[in-house]
Amino acid sequence: MHPSVVTRFAPSPTGFLHIGGGRTALFNWLYAKRHGGKMLLRIEDTDRERSTPEAIEAIIDGLKWLGLTWDGEPIHQFARAARHAEVARDLVARGHAYFCYATQEELTEMREKARAEGKPMRYDGRWRDRDPATAPPGVKPVIRLRAPVEGETMIEDMVQGKVTWSNSDLDDLVLLRSDGTPTYMLAVVADDHDMGVTHIIRGDDHLTNAARQTQIYQACGWPAPNMAHIPLIHGPDGAKLSKRHGALGVEAYRAMGYLPAALRNYLVRLGWSHGDQEVFSTEEMVQFFDLKNVGRSAARFDFAKLSNLNGIYMRQADDRALLAAIEEMLAHVEGGEATLKALQGEGRTRLLAMMPGLKERAKTLVELMDGARFLFAKRPLTLDEKAAALLDDDGRKRLAEVVAALEAVSDWSVASTEAAVRALSESTGAKLGQLAQPLRAALTGQATSPGIFDVLAVLGREESLGRLRDQL
RNA sequence: GUCCCGUUCGUCUAGAGGCCUAGGACACCAGCCUUUCACGUUGGCAGCACGGGUUCGAAUCCCGUACGGGACGCCA
């Protein structure tokens, strides 16, 4: 165990926080918490063309919603450009890097030639040992790493194990662009070093980068942090998660009515396991999380399992907390304002009262609100197909009997209405279901709902009887 | 194409040579419970990619094949 663990989540602000990034953040957060360390947040915005303030905001918003916190202020990588350039120049001064004047055309040529020969694309090192005095006029150079040409580069990855590359497969990468800005490779190494990062936990799409970054660490004379390359999350079709495959931002999951705790639980089990345990409180996750139990193969995203977990979390949730989550969801969903408005006053009271019955029957907050629609509906209700079928001639006849029985009830409650309907069932010989279903249809406009006597109680005597008479 | 990584039920996974007649969860199917739907509960279906080794013994170790994925930028 390390005395003080420092992890970091380092997204590039070119879009929202997608689900894979969310899991990477979660793993970093858990690992830091588990070891009593810190998780830093670094915005990798050195790509000035594609980085946007909106994306930064979306990422931060996403992390907050997911309940993942970081220590200190977010670090903006671009702000450290001067430091990066300094590291690059120092490397040149010490002979570990050099100026390269090759043009884009020359590079393209090299790439095509390599492809034609079936070799990996690599810069041929034409400026590696050339005298900068022979540089063509007017060409601004880049700084490239003078990478070792012989031997191997090896990393001891905490998830992938020992991984080695032949140095002959790795070329002299660019550290500093011709405009003086750092490349990702340089910036990452310099920042992780300067920030005191002890553990780099990131997607395994960075595995090959790890080799090149290791070479930079070596050139700088810095010890490389521990690394853990976690497998990616794939779409349902097994291919890389892309926008086309529904690589949604975490805020999309909020809008779909998932609870952050459920999403965290789902995400942590993608690639990580603790025996047969499926449901983890946040405390348990922190207590048990370990890189040792992270697998090496990619996982597919499965909405069915997420929904199942979400249902479990919803059923366990406190009614008021659920209401708060619903309001947060509505604030982020199109057309949510209208429902939000309906949740003032009476509507709010009704929803809260009906919550135990509703949360039992929904897997997402959206489903829950769908099932709650009848609470806000105005008379006369429009019936859906199944409800209409329940109120055929026979159904209406029974409904009339039920109405008569209920009209006799004065102290309106779950118990009293149930007693009245049960008594009717006994005296007429009708099964309870034969009375309850028409009742449900008339009261809710649907064939399914929470317990019908609960509905009666929540709606109240006047509204209930009104809705029933509307259907006679 | 080159390099790297992977492959246990449809999906997520347990499994560190005998405890495996391969376990759990989701999904699916059937039964029970029941005023509907859910919940709960009982049972069922279903998997070690393939081929060679090593070993008394392999899902577990080694090699190969196939398939999948990732990376090959003056993007991150």
Side-chain angles (χ1 to χ4, degrees):
Chain A
M1 213 220 261
H2 299 259
S4 77
V5 165
V6 178
T7 65
R8 48 53 158 197
F9 178 57
S12 62
T14 53
F16 43 49
L17 175 65
H18 63 81
I19 205 72
R23 186 183 60 151
T24 301
L26 175 63
F27 280 21
N28 274 287
W29 184 81
L30 286 172
Y31 194 79
K33 286 274 174 269
R34 165 80 171 83
H35 293 93
K38 294 178 176 177
M39 179 178 93
L40 273 21
L41 176 62
R42 184 173 71 226
I43 307 292
E44 311 230 310
D45 57 353
T46 52
D47 184 344
R48 305 313 290 167
E49 304 274 304
R50 298 195 298 157
S51 298
T52 66
E54 292 74 29
I56 293 176
E57 205 168 313
I59 288 166
I60 286 179
D61 178 50
L63 287 173
K64 282 184 180 164
W65 178 72
L66 256 185
L68 304 181
T69 52
W70 56 93
D71 294 281
E73 288 300 306
I75 289 156
H76 293 259
Q77 191 161 57
F78 187 69
R80 294 178 36 81
R83 162 65 176 156
H84 301 144
E86 176 194 323
V87 172
R89 278 193 299 269
D90 182 56
L91 248 19
V92 173
R94 294 193 294 112
H96 289 302
Y98 59 91
F99 290 100
C100 167
Y101 295 84
T103 62
Q104 287 300 337
E105 292 69 41
E106 291 178 73
L107 259 18
T108 306
E109 201 176 297
M110 273 180 237
R111 201 169 291 129
E112 278 165 7
K113 183 165 170 252
R115 185 160 288 262
E117 291 171 4
K119 288 181 182 165
M121 156 56 197
R122 48 187 311 266
Y123 169 72
D124 64 6
R126 60 183 59 180
W127 283 93
R128 189 178 166 103
D129 298 308
R130 194 154 149 192
D131 186 351
T134 67
V139 176
K140 287 200 166 183
V142 298
I143 293 180
R144 300 188 98 108
L145 179 73
R146 192 188 303 276
V149 288
E150 286 175 351
E152 293 181 327
T153 294
M154 190 258 285
I155 65 166
E156 192 74 57
D157 192 277
M158 294 177 81
V159 168
Q160 306 288 334
K162 187 179 288 186
V163 185
T164 61
W165 290 263
S166 170
N167 285 336
S168 59
D169 290 327
L170 271 14
D171 65 354
D172 291 350
L173 66 274
V174 173
L175 297 171
L176 204 66
R177 292 189 269 257
S178 50
D179 65 359
T181 60
T183 60
Y184 164 76
M185 292 292 177
L186 202 220
V188 168
V189 170
D191 289 349
D192 284 334
H193 173 262
D194 290 357
M195 290 160 68
V197 171
T198 61
H199 295 261
I200 296 174
I201 301 171
R202 76 233 297 194
D204 72 9
D205 49 340
H206 284 284
L207 191 56
T208 38
N209 291 338
R212 328 203 70 162
Q213 288 162 203
T214 297
Q215 294 183 331
I216 300 177
Y217 277 107
Q218 288 164 351
C220 289
W222 297 334
N226 296 293
M227 296 191 193
H229 289 90
I230 62 178
L232 300 176
I233 298 175
H234 286 164
D237 62 350
K240 188 187 182 183
L241 217 44
S242 66
K243 277 171 196 163
R244 184 183 314 158
H245 289 113
L248 306 166
V250 296
E251 76 282 347
Y253 294 85
R254 170 170 61 197
M256 285 186 280
Y258 292 104
L259 263 13
L263 189 54
R264 259 184 268 138
N265 197 146
Y266 176 70
L267 252 20
V268 83
R269 284 286 291 105
L270 243 37
W272 176 78
S273 61
H274 182 254
D276 283 339
Q277 190 170 346
E278 297 284 350
V279 180
F280 295 85
S281 68
T282 302
E283 293 69 33
E284 286 176 310
M285 276 184 210
V286 169
Q287 188 183 146
F288 299 137
F289 186 78
D290 198 333
L291 260 9
K292 280 194 198 75
N293 302 310
V294 174
R296 281 190 273 182
S297 51
R300 298 188 189 201
F301 195 89
D302 180 19
F303 273 103
K305 188 147 186 176
L306 203 212
S307 292
N308 173 267
L309 266 174
N310 203 60
I312 291 172
Y313 276 81
M314 280 175 51
R315 273 174 256 133
Q316 289 174 348
D318 171 78
D319 294 345
R320 288 183 182 280
L322 226 33
L323 180 60
I326 287 168
E327 287 175 324
E328 187 182 1
M329 169 196 76
L330 289 173
H332 292 279
V333 80
E334 229 175 296
E337 303 83 21
T339 315
L340 222 35
K341 202 171 286 173
L343 278 182
Q344 313 287 334
E346 175 72 7
R348 186 190 188 81
T349 312
R350 280 185 181 174
L351 181 60
L352 213 42
M354 201 76 264
M355 203 63 99
L358 289 169
K359 69 183 181 187
E360 185 92 354
R361 292 168 173 76
K363 298 228 191 300
T364 66
L365 299 177
V366 170
E367 278 180 28
L368 189 155
M369 287 310 284
D370 217 46
R373 257 191 322 224
F374 72 90
L375 290 177
F376 313 110
K378 294 265 187 296
R379 290 176 49 202
L381 266 54
T382 42
L383 309 184
D384 71 17
E385 211 171 299
K386 286 178 186 167
L390 283 170
L391 288 174
D392 55 8
D393 292 346
D394 187 52
R396 277 209 305 283
K397 204 161 62 190
R398 296 200 186 278
L399 187 62
E401 294 170 357
V402 174
V403 171
L406 287 175
E407 277 170 339
V409 176
S410 51
D411 73 322
W412 195 264
S413 72
V414 175
S416 63
T417 52
E418 175 161 6
V421 175
R422 282 196 186 274
L424 178 66
S425 156
E426 268 174 47
S427 66
T428 62
K431 285 188 174 179
L432 197 51
Q434 291 177 292
L435 303 178
Q437 281 304 84
L439 193 52
R440 187 184 320 275
L443 244 24
T444 69
Q446 298 171 301
T448 74
S449 81
I452 200 61
F453 304 111
D454 294 315
V455 172
L456 239 14
V458 168
L459 251 24
R461 189 172 197 275
E462 194 187 336
E463 177 70 19
S464 295
L465 290 175
R467 290 189 184 193
L468 297 178
R469 290 190 193 109
D470 288 341
Q471 303 303 330
L472 292 177

